[in-house]
Amino acid sequence: MTDSEKEIRHSESRSLGANGVSVGINNISKSYGKIPVLKSIRLNIAPGEFLTMLGPSGSGKTTLLMVIAGFVRPDNGSLEIGNVEAIRLPPHKRNVGMVFQSYALFPHMDVFSNVAFPLSIRRVANEETRRRVEVALAQVRLSGYAQRRIDQLSGGQRQRVALARAVVFGPRILLMDEPLSALDKKLREEMQIEIRQIHQDLGMTTIYVTHDQREALTMSDRIAVMDQGTIVQVDTPSALYRMPQNRFVAEFVGESTLLPVSVCQRGSDVSFAGQRLKIAKHNITKPSPHSTLLIRPEHVRIARRVTGEGGTDTNCFAGTVSHKLFQGDQLLLRVTLAGGQDVLVREAATHAAAGNSLEVGEKVSLLLDREDSILVPGSGL
Ligand code: ADP
Ligand code: MG
């Protein structure tokens, strides 16, 4: 970025984006025919927050975004934007900017005309339009590209044009529906940082949709996980990863091994395959007789078979190495327990890593600290 771009970015950004407004979603439901797509969705989003809707394909993310934008009318419920009831407002009165996966730009027109489009609809004067387009292009680091045609730009540049067009009229809310899914991995990761930076500069409330859990963990202030038309958990990225409230979240966010356990005496006595487990109290959300032990691959230490139970603060599981993969920076091992359950283990691939010297077929012990032993309600499958 040049110095003048930086200057524009900092001096103009606040007036361009204004500050974000709150969004209140109350009991929003929507069915298509007899099929419910959104089921009593409730969610409050704070002014200026970066909130991500994360869920598999078909879980209702786009529909919810379209309800907020005003393109889909829900069957029930209310929507407040900046504490004003918005359900009857047409899209252009909601002051919402949008970016989609497919850029939806005019390919035969130049960058300037694409970014200026929302201003021409709003009948903004020419001089003011030129000024605002210049600011918006600086925001997305495309100063000097105004005369380029869209079909002369790379995928990443096109997505930046789409972003500039979404913010050029100073919306209070920015909605983004899988904006990076058409880009390759490296570019996607660069754009994730860039979008976060633009969000910080402009301060508008951002609702971001993705099915990529890693992207959600990287970018968000909070994540709302969706499954089949409901929000199953809303939390910060670290809380969501650390303490999933159910099996769906445990499996969808991050890598995991889930072991069925039996729980008696209101959660104080948890056992797996006849062995009593040590679990930190704060790692038990909801004591339930049907629960699952969540093991993250980076929490397990692997050792040549030791006897005993691993000390007072550590759980110890006996097993056999059934798979070993070298992945450059990491070793990925699969260890099969006596009962047939597979546990994934990740180790940094240092010279000293225990997994380095282990071969498939060797008997090992897996060590898991009580602080890293997490109990998730529901036995599931
Ligand atoms: P996501 O964005 O999470 O992939 P969508 O909101 O696009 O999910 O879709 C949720 C469900 O609603 C899907 O089963 C989809 O087929 C259905 N759906 C979405 N839009 C329509 C529509 N206009 N008519 C009928 N069914 C729809
Ligand atoms: Mg979608």
Side-chain angles (χ1 to χ4, degrees), residues 337-349:
L337 306 183
Q341 304 90 346
D342 287 331
V343 180
L344 279 183
V345 183
R346 272 191 192 282
E347 273 194 326

PDB file of all heavy atoms in Angstrom, residues 337-349:
ATOM      1  N   LEU A 337      -7.416 -48.579  19.714  1.00  0.00           N
ATOM      2  CA  LEU A 337      -7.520 -49.055  21.099  1.00  0.00           C
ATOM      3  C   LEU A 337      -7.999 -50.508  21.119  1.00  0.00           C
ATOM      4  O   LEU A 337      -8.477 -51.032  20.098  1.00  0.00           O
ATOM      5  CB  LEU A 337      -8.476 -48.169  21.895  1.00  0.00           C
ATOM      6  CG  LEU A 337      -8.175 -46.661  21.872  1.00  0.00           C
ATOM      7  CD1 LEU A 337      -9.155 -45.897  22.768  1.00  0.00           C
ATOM      8  CD2 LEU A 337      -6.737 -46.396  22.312  1.00  0.00           C
ATOM      9  N   ALA A 338      -7.912 -51.128  22.300  1.00  0.00           N
ATOM     10  CA  ALA A 338      -8.281 -52.542  22.434  1.00  0.00           C
ATOM     11  C   ALA A 338      -9.708 -52.804  21.961  1.00  0.00           C
ATOM     12  O   ALA A 338      -9.997 -53.837  21.349  1.00  0.00           O
ATOM     13  CB  ALA A 338      -8.097 -52.977  23.887  1.00  0.00           C
ATOM     14  N   GLY A 339     -10.614 -51.836  22.220  1.00  0.00           N
ATOM     15  CA  GLY A 339     -12.011 -52.012  21.826  1.00  0.00           C
ATOM     16  C   GLY A 339     -12.267 -51.702  20.362  1.00  0.00           C
ATOM     17  O   GLY A 339     -13.410 -51.723  19.906  1.00  0.00           O
ATOM     18  N   GLY A 340     -11.227 -51.362  19.597  1.00  0.00           N
ATOM     19  CA  GLY A 340     -11.387 -51.117  18.175  1.00  0.00           C
ATOM     20  C   GLY A 340     -11.532 -49.648  17.793  1.00  0.00           C
ATOM     21  O   GLY A 340     -11.548 -49.317  16.602  1.00  0.00           O
ATOM     22  N   GLN A 341     -11.635 -48.730  18.785  1.00  0.00           N
ATOM     23  CA  GLN A 341     -11.799 -47.301  18.447  1.00  0.00           C
ATOM     24  C   GLN A 341     -10.463 -46.715  17.981  1.00  0.00           C
ATOM     25  O   GLN A 341      -9.414 -47.013  18.544  1.00  0.00           O
ATOM     26  CB  GLN A 341     -12.278 -46.511  19.680  1.00  0.00           C
ATOM     27  CG  GLN A 341     -13.542 -47.028  20.311  1.00  0.00           C
ATOM     28  CD  GLN A 341     -13.267 -48.070  21.391  1.00  0.00           C
ATOM     29  OE1 GLN A 341     -12.174 -48.603  21.514  1.00  0.00           O
ATOM     30  NE2 GLN A 341     -14.295 -48.356  22.165  1.00  0.00           N
ATOM     31  N   ASP A 342     -10.547 -45.873  16.958  1.00  0.00           N
ATOM     32  CA  ASP A 342      -9.347 -45.204  16.452  1.00  0.00           C
ATOM     33  C   ASP A 342      -9.183 -43.827  17.089  1.00  0.00           C
ATOM     34  O   ASP A 342     -10.145 -43.071  17.172  1.00  0.00           O
ATOM     35  CB  ASP A 342      -9.441 -45.016  14.933  1.00  0.00           C
ATOM     36  CG  ASP A 342      -9.251 -46.336  14.202  1.00  0.00           C
ATOM     37  OD1 ASP A 342      -8.539 -47.214  14.728  1.00  0.00           O
ATOM     38  OD2 ASP A 342      -9.829 -46.481  13.098  1.00  0.00           O
ATOM     39  N   VAL A 343      -7.970 -43.497  17.492  1.00  0.00           N
ATOM     40  CA  VAL A 343      -7.674 -42.170  18.032  1.00  0.00           C
ATOM     41  C   VAL A 343      -6.627 -41.509  17.140  1.00  0.00           C
ATOM     42  O   VAL A 343      -5.611 -42.118  16.803  1.00  0.00           O
ATOM     43  CB  VAL A 343      -7.122 -42.258  19.477  1.00  0.00           C
ATOM     44  CG1 VAL A 343      -6.828 -40.862  20.027  1.00  0.00           C
ATOM     45  CG2 VAL A 343      -8.109 -42.994  20.377  1.00  0.00           C
ATOM     46  N   LEU A 344      -6.913 -40.256  16.732  1.00  0.00           N
ATOM     47  CA  LEU A 344      -5.951 -39.487  15.927  1.00  0.00           C
ATOM     48  C   LEU A 344      -4.983 -38.760  16.843  1.00  0.00           C
ATOM     49  O   LEU A 344      -5.390 -38.171  17.839  1.00  0.00           O
ATOM     50  CB  LEU A 344      -6.685 -38.427  15.103  1.00  0.00           C
ATOM     51  CG  LEU A 344      -7.355 -38.824  13.803  1.00  0.00           C
ATOM     52  CD1 LEU A 344      -7.935 -37.575  13.149  1.00  0.00           C
ATOM     53  CD2 LEU A 344      -6.364 -39.505  12.869  1.00  0.00           C
ATOM     54  N   VAL A 345      -3.718 -38.781  16.477  1.00  0.00           N
ATOM     55  CA  VAL A 345      -2.695 -38.091  17.259  1.00  0.00           C
ATOM     56  C   VAL A 345      -1.851 -37.245  16.312  1.00  0.00           C
ATOM     57  O   VAL A 345      -1.421 -37.736  15.274  1.00  0.00           O
ATOM     58  CB  VAL A 345      -1.766 -39.103  17.976  1.00  0.00           C
ATOM     59  CG1 VAL A 345      -0.747 -38.376  18.850  1.00  0.00           C
ATOM     60  CG2 VAL A 345      -2.576 -40.102  18.802  1.00  0.00           C
ATOM     61  N   ARG A 346      -1.635 -35.979  16.679  1.00  0.00           N
ATOM     62  CA  ARG A 346      -0.729 -35.120  15.902  1.00  0.00           C
ATOM     63  C   ARG A 346       0.449 -34.720  16.759  1.00  0.00           C
ATOM     64  O   ARG A 346       0.294 -34.310  17.902  1.00  0.00           O
ATOM     65  CB  ARG A 346      -1.446 -33.836  15.483  1.00  0.00           C
ATOM     66  CG  ARG A 346      -2.164 -33.960  14.202  1.00  0.00           C
ATOM     67  CD  ARG A 346      -2.634 -32.598  13.707  1.00  0.00           C
ATOM     68  NE  ARG A 346      -3.563 -32.818  12.612  1.00  0.00           N
ATOM     69  CZ  ARG A 346      -3.177 -33.136  11.384  1.00  0.00           C
ATOM     70  NH1 ARG A 346      -1.891 -33.245  11.091  1.00  0.00           N
ATOM     71  NH2 ARG A 346      -4.067 -33.355  10.444  1.00  0.00           N
ATOM     72  N   GLU A 347       1.629 -34.829  16.180  1.00  0.00           N
ATOM     73  CA  GLU A 347       2.832 -34.406  16.887  1.00  0.00           C
ATOM     74  C   GLU A 347       3.609 -33.485  15.969  1.00  0.00           C
ATOM     75  O   GLU A 347       3.667 -33.721  14.761  1.00  0.00           O
ATOM     76  CB  GLU A 347       3.736 -35.609  17.148  1.00  0.00           C
ATOM     77  CG  GLU A 347       3.457 -36.381  18.414  1.00  0.00           C
ATOM     78  CD  GLU A 347       4.630 -37.316  18.719  1.00  0.00           C
ATOM     79  OE1 GLU A 347       5.257 -37.843  17.790  1.00  0.00           O
ATOM     80  OE2 GLU A 347       4.919 -37.494  19.901  1.00  0.00           O
ATOM     81  N   ALA A 348       4.266 -32.458  16.543  1.00  0.00           N
ATOM     82  CA  ALA A 348       5.209 -31.664  15.752  1.00  0.00           C
ATOM     83  C   ALA A 348       6.327 -32.609  15.326  1.00  0.00           C
ATOM     84  O   ALA A 348       6.812 -33.398  16.126  1.00  0.00           O
ATOM     85  CB  ALA A 348       5.752 -30.518  16.583  1.00  0.00           C
ATOM     86  N   ALA A 349       6.723 -32.531  14.039  1.00  0.00           N
ATOM     87  CA  ALA A 349       7.689 -33.504  13.520  1.00  0.00           C
ATOM     88  C   ALA A 349       9.124 -33.090  13.852  1.00  0.00           C
ATOM     89  O   ALA A 349       9.938 -32.838  12.983  1.00  0.00           O
ATOM     90  CB  ALA A 349       7.514 -33.663  12.013  1.00  0.00           C
TER      91      ALA A 349
END
